[in-house]
Amino acid sequence: MNFRVGKRLLAACVFFFACTAVQAQPRAVDLDAAERIRVDGRLEEAAWQRAPQHADFVQYLPLDRRPPPSGYRTTLQVVAEPDALVIAI
């Protein structure tokens, strides 16, 4: 699912993920003014194919800095439009 959020909220999310991840350094794909993301829960646009998928997250509580148990996986992708950031989690 993807959500359109403000840049300040994204900065807070990126800070949170950076503090709780070992190697996660989320990067965004920049779009030009002609390319737009449709917020429909599908990741079919070409931008999502170019956006790096971040998945190196670790637990914060109860076992600090350990990988999550098998079966629990979180991925993050960020696309930057000229006037919005679109996040897929």
Side-chain angles (χ1 to χ4, degrees):
M1 177 177 270
N2 52 20
F3 301 97
R4 195 176 296 266
V5 297
K7 290 183 180 182
R8 288 184 184 173
L9 180 57
L10 176 70
C13 291
V14 169
F15 177 77
F16 171 77
F17 285 119
C19 289
T20 60
V22 174
Q23 296 178 351
Q25 296 178 4
R27 293 175 303 280
V29 168
D30 291 326
L31 301 183
D32 58 33
E35 191 175 9
R36 302 298 269 175
I37 294 291
R38 181 183 308 155
V39 181
D40 59 4
R42 297 179 182 164
L43 306 178
E44 297 173 343
E45 290 88 359
W48 293 118
Q49 305 310 312
R50 296 190 317 263
Q53 191 175 79
H54 307 284
D56 295 330
F57 298 106
V58 295
Q59 295 184 69
Y60 177 66
L61 292 173
L63 305 170
D64 291 343
R65 305 244 183 243
R66 293 196 183 157
S70 177
Y72 295 95
R73 184 169 178 248
T74 300
T75 61
L76 170 77
Q77 288 177 282
V78 182
V79 173
E81 293 182 341
D83 59 348
L85 292 171
V86 186
I87 302 171
I89 301 175

